[in-house]
Amino acid sequence: MSIVPQLIVNSIIAGSIYSLVVLGFNLIYGTTKFFNLAHGVLTTIGGYTAFYFSQKLEWHIGLSIVLGVIVSGFIGYLLDKGIFLQLRKRKASSMVLLVAALGIMTALQAIVAIIFTSQFQTLSSGLETKVYDVAGGVITNIQLLILVSAIVIMFGLAILLKYTKFGKAVRAVSDEETVAKIVGINTDKIISWIFIIGSGIAGYAGIMVGLDTGIEPTMGLALLLKGVIAAIIGGVGSIYGGVLGAFVLAFIENFGIWKISGEWKDAIAFGVLLIFLLVRPQGIIKK
Amino acid sequence: MALCVAVRHSSHTMKNPKRNIYTGIILLLICIGVYFSFTTSKDEQLQVGVVLPITGKFADISEDVLNAIALAKDRFVELSVSVEDSAGEPSKATTALINLIHIKKSKVILSGPGGSTSNTAMMPIALKEQVPLVAVSSASALRGKEDYVFTAYPFIQAETDAISARLTSQNKKTVSIIYDASSDTQVIGVEIFRRSFEASGGKVILAETYNKDIEYRTLTSKLVRSNPDAIFVLAADKITGQFVKHIREQSYTDTIIGFSTAESDIFLTTAGMYANDFETSSAPFSCDRNQHTQKYCALYRARYSKEPTAFGAYAYDALHLIAVAYETCKDRVNIGLCITSADISTSSLTESFSLDKNGDLSGNVPIHMKKVVDGKFVLIR
């Protein structure tokens, strides 16, 4: 039996996971123009919040997922209000914001490890896993959920940004924050909402990874790295570009290790990143 | 004691309350000093440094080891234990070792498990500094180093031979393997297994390597699509669980076998409903084996509300060995000379815990095979 159908399915699953990370990341970057490295730890927070409610308090998994998304969004809001907004007000450079985000990521990751220990946990215990055969490749119900939700969130965000008043305000802030302020847009409020939505999506990504494989305090960094690579490949700040980059990365990674050893997977990912930085730094779709 | 009673009496009789308080405090301090002079003083304790991967990819394993060390500290009061984190990385492990030797003045070092490369990186420093290093590790590079480097975990060959014999007994002719190429122990384990299995008429048809990642689907697809009679996973419990889950999701129904690092609750949690029928070699530790193991397990469960693992038991035995060596020698300059000759075999938690003349856990350690049945590891008879 050929391995190709399974590799395609694997690539689609991996691409969906990367998409969930890059959607929130690109949304925040597209509006604020800074690399929010703290985005990674929000996936961890989402995963652990859902874990706490579903496994420790034994609440319904659906409710736990919703709470995970809300808590991640709220933490994202607090980070913006408490740290990033203050730094922006002081005209901090992108480098300062980047370092602050890295510090936040490290600190929150440590706090999660202290509260929940470094031990690997899973969100799927008690859930029934169903396996479907799709043209010679297998996919589980949870992986299907990841794929469908990545598509739904992508189109949801695109509609939100293109057809709503809020979306127009976001685009205005993204294009020129000062002008947006002059025309009466409350830019701080818009950016706060962007952080809430982007962080909520990150939290959802962490929950989906938790359902598919499991969670651990350091999971955010690995997800963030893949998300950032996908963003650069697809086009930083672009919703469609990010998703396209996620799937391109996933297909290259998974087909790349078809004939060579699996330990080269990260080297392949970073090799692709370097090629894009050299040849097409604006990514596939320029925002 | 009489002095202390006198203090109490005198404080009642004295007129000046301020003076009474000062006198009371001074005499109280004297009482405390007298009390501690009758207990083991810090100077009489042997400073033992512990280097463990408390963070990083082997952090899961260290939790049980830290618990076991805490229990050992309560029992072996002659040991004063300081712990440093290696994060499972050679550079951090060597820094931790140097801190322990030069700042904490540790006279003996206990290291591992988790990260054979870290343990191997510490070895030259231990030899140079002439500080005994007792490694709960199966890394081959640590073996045969006599006076200053000791291994207190079964050599991986004992496990791979047991796994090879098990697969041969099941008439498995082809095996695909997955392992971590950055682990010295696993690289050597694969080679030893290959020799042993192929000598028995079997064939390794695929040896795949991995790096720590979010998921391992494509690697497991390669294993499954190579159509082996069995899949051998050399990885820590968490990653083994993920491999087993991915492999079973792809409808592979034949034998999946792993080694002792997989035998834990973490594996069962990670693999979930796919854990059943997974087979593993098992380090010789069982709570029911004798009164010592029963007592240890009862204490462990009472304090930590979870099951102890073999890693913790080996770390506990290693500290026990150091304590006996220290009692025997009282030679704080080179306690290493006494470690090899120290004997705890009658009271150790793990079976046949004795070091050979090279200071390594002897080769005739009995390795059992276990299988997951109804979500629990059970011995294969």
Side-chain angles (χ1 to χ4, degrees):
Chain A
M1 198 191 295
S2 170
I3 194 174
V4 175
Q6 189 60 55
L7 289 183
I8 293 170
V9 170
N10 294 347
S11 305
I12 291 170
I13 299 164
S16 305
I17 293 169
Y18 300 163
S19 294
L20 287 172
V21 179
V22 79
L23 277 168
F25 180 83
N26 264 357
L27 182 66
I28 293 171
Y29 181 87
T31 315
T32 61
K33 302 287 181 295
F34 95 95
F35 260 57
N36 179 22
L37 294 184
H39 194 71
V41 82
L42 290 158
T43 62
T44 314
I45 288 169
Y48 273 93
T49 307
F51 167 77
Y52 178 75
F53 286 110
S54 66
Q55 307 292 318
K56 298 280 179 189
L57 301 184
E58 297 184 353
W59 289 14
H60 188 272
I61 184 69
L63 180 61
S64 304
I65 291 172
V66 172
L67 288 168
V69 172
I70 291 171
V71 169
S72 308
F74 183 64
I75 301 276
Y77 169 77
L78 290 180
L79 292 179
D80 178 52
K81 278 283 172 198
I83 299 167
F84 299 130
L85 177 62
Q86 306 307 320
L87 290 172
R88 284 200 301 274
K89 278 181 180 170
R90 289 171 199 176
K91 307 279 181 217
S93 66
S94 299
M95 183 55 75
V96 171
L97 285 164
L98 186 89
V99 172
L102 189 64
I104 290 165
M105 168 136 180
T106 311
L108 288 181
Q109 193 173 284
I111 291 169
V112 170
I114 290 164
I115 298 171
F116 294 99
T117 76
S118 297
Q119 201 167 314
F120 191 81
Q121 309 283 1
T122 179
L123 289 172
S124 58
S125 56
L127 289 180
E128 194 185 346
T129 308
K130 287 179 183 162
V131 178
Y132 305 101
D133 194 311
V134 184
V138 291
I139 189 165
T140 66
N141 50 348
I142 290 166
Q143 291 155 4
L144 266 177
L145 175 67
I146 295 171
L147 172 62
V148 171
S149 49
I151 294 168
V152 168
I153 291 170
M154 181 186 74
F155 283 113
L157 272 182
I159 290 166
L160 180 78
L161 294 177
K162 195 161 187 184
Y163 298 108
T164 65
K165 203 176 161 187
F166 171 75
K168 281 177 188 165
V170 171
R171 280 186 284 142
V173 174
S174 171
D175 287 342
E176 187 54 67
E177 194 180 338
T178 319
V179 178
K181 258 182 196 163
I182 292 166
V183 298
I185 295 171
N186 185 344
T187 56
D188 290 343
K189 193 176 171 186
I190 294 293
I191 291 173
S192 287
W193 272 108
I194 287 299
F195 264 92
I196 292 170
I197 296 168
S199 304
I201 297 170
Y204 183 77
I207 296 165
M208 289 298 111
V209 171
L211 285 170
D212 183 33
T213 52
I215 52 172
E216 57 188 327
T218 54
M219 64 188 272
L221 185 62
L223 284 168
L224 177 78
L225 276 176
K226 294 295 169 77
V228 170
I229 296 172
I232 292 168
I233 290 173
V236 182
S238 161
I239 299 297
Y240 293 120
V243 173
L244 182 62
F247 281 97
V248 168
L249 174 66
F251 270 86
I252 292 173
E253 272 186 342
N254 283 285
F255 276 85
I257 57 168
W258 177 12
K259 293 292 178 189
I260 61 170
S261 203
E263 64 186 304
W264 290 93
K265 194 176 172 188
D266 285 343
I268 291 168
F270 283 99
V272 172
L273 171 71
L274 283 175
I275 291 168
F276 267 87
L277 287 174
L278 288 169
V279 178
R280 196 172 167 84
Q282 71 273 32
I284 299 170
I285 298 175
K286 191 180 176 184
K287 185 171 184 283
Chain B
M1 275 316 270
L3 183 69
C4 297
V5 172
V7 173
R8 197 159 168 248
H9 179 73
S10 64
S11 64
H12 281 296
T13 56
M14 282 188 234
K15 296 271 192 262
N16 185 344
K18 209 171 181 180
R19 197 173 148 199
N20 288 353
I21 292 167
Y22 287 139
T23 316
I25 290 169
I26 290 163
L27 291 170
L28 187 68
L29 290 173
I30 293 168
C31 290
I32 291 167
V34 169
Y35 170 77
F36 280 104
S37 70
F38 285 107
T39 61
T40 311
S41 78
K42 195 95 177 164
D43 286 343
E44 288 175 353
Q45 286 183 305
L46 178 71
Q47 302 295 320
V48 180
V50 177
V51 183
L52 278 180
I54 298 168
T55 57
K57 64 179 177 177
F58 300 109
D60 294 335
I61 295 171
S62 292
E63 194 183 334
D64 173 61
V65 178
L66 281 170
N67 294 344
I69 287 171
L71 290 177
K73 269 168 72 177
D74 291 350
R75 183 176 161 196
F76 309 113
V77 291
E78 62 272 41
L79 305 181
S80 171
V81 180
S82 307
V83 181
E84 292 267 342
D85 183 18
S86 71
E89 295 171 19
S91 59
K92 289 185 180 167
T94 49
T95 306
L97 179 66
I98 291 165
N99 281 346
L100 286 169
I101 294 172
H102 292 289
I103 297 169
K104 304 272 174 68
K105 305 292 177 197
S106 299
K107 302 293 180 198
V108 184
I109 303 295
L110 178 74
S111 74
S116 54
T117 45
S118 301
N119 284 316
T120 309
M122 285 190 280
M123 182 179 68
I125 298 170
L127 289 170
K128 187 182 163 216
E129 300 282 348
Q130 300 192 330
V131 173
L133 171 70
V134 183
V136 183
S137 168
S138 53
S140 60
L142 301 172
R143 299 178 71 82
K145 296 292 180 290
E146 297 183 33
D147 289 351
Y148 290 102
V149 181
F150 309 88
T151 57
Y153 197 81
F155 183 42
I156 191 149
Q157 181 164 9
E159 293 201 49
T160 52
D161 284 352
I163 290 165
S164 174
R166 170 71 183 160
L167 291 174
T168 307
S169 74
Q170 290 178 314
N171 204 26
K172 305 291 182 191
K173 295 291 179 198
T174 55
V175 170
S176 290
I177 306 175
I178 187 148
Y179 66 102
D180 182 353
S182 68
S183 162
D184 298 347
T185 303
Q186 291 184 26
V187 171
I188 288 165
V190 167
E191 278 317 302
I192 295 171
F193 172 80
R194 189 195 293 268
R195 279 202 296 272
S196 165
F197 188 62
E198 293 187 349
S200 315
K203 187 167 174 55
V204 174
I205 55 172
L206 177 69
E208 181 60 67
T209 57
Y210 71 91
N211 269 337
K212 191 175 187 290
D213 202 352
I214 303 162
E215 49 86 18
Y216 305 95
R217 258 177 289 270
T218 292
L219 300 182
T220 51
S221 298
K222 286 169 80 175
L223 293 171
V224 171
R225 301 300 167 117
S226 65
N227 291 320
D229 293 337
I231 294 174
F232 178 19
V233 179
L234 280 102
D237 45 8
K238 171 181 72 183
I239 296 173
T240 305
Q242 283 178 274
F243 281 139
V244 170
K245 186 169 184 269
H246 288 333
I247 290 167
R248 292 290 188 221
E249 278 174 357
Q250 292 174 47
S251 310
Y252 184 81
T253 52
D254 226 319
T255 302
I256 309 176
I257 203 161
F259 77 142
S260 60
T261 48
E263 190 191 347
S264 77
D265 288 345
I266 294 164
F267 165 79
L268 297 173
T269 305
T270 317
M273 59 186 275
Y274 297 108
N276 281 343
D277 294 332
F278 172 74
E279 295 186 12
T280 176
S281 55
S282 174
F285 166 69
S286 159
C287 282
D288 305 324
R289 192 167 70 86
N290 59 31
Q291 56 172 352
H292 302 295
T293 56
Q294 284 165 5
K295 190 178 169 190
Y296 170 79
C297 292
L299 271 171
Y300 193 104
R301 287 173 189 137
R303 192 181 289 187
Y304 305 111
S305 305
K306 60 201 298 189
E307 284 297 306
T309 72
F311 285 123
Y314 272 106
Y316 187 98
D317 278 347
L319 281 175
H320 187 177
L321 189 79
I322 292 167
V324 170
Y326 178 59
E327 283 301 308
T328 314
C329 281
K330 284 283 179 193
D331 175 3
R332 285 172 235 171
V333 178
N334 185 9
I335 190 182
L337 295 170
C338 303
I339 288 179
T340 307
S341 56
D343 182 13
I344 61 161
S345 57
T346 54
S347 56
S348 63
L349 298 179
T350 54
E351 279 180 72
S352 306
F353 191 97
S354 65
L355 303 190
D356 61 20
K357 63 180 173 52
N358 290 325
D360 302 312
L361 198 67
S362 60
N364 54 1
V365 174
I367 298 291
H368 307 292
M369 294 301 298
K370 287 186 178 174
K371 186 174 186 172
V372 180
V373 178
D374 295 331
K376 284 181 181 166
F377 285 95
V378 295
L379 207 59
I380 298 171
R381 300 284 175 194

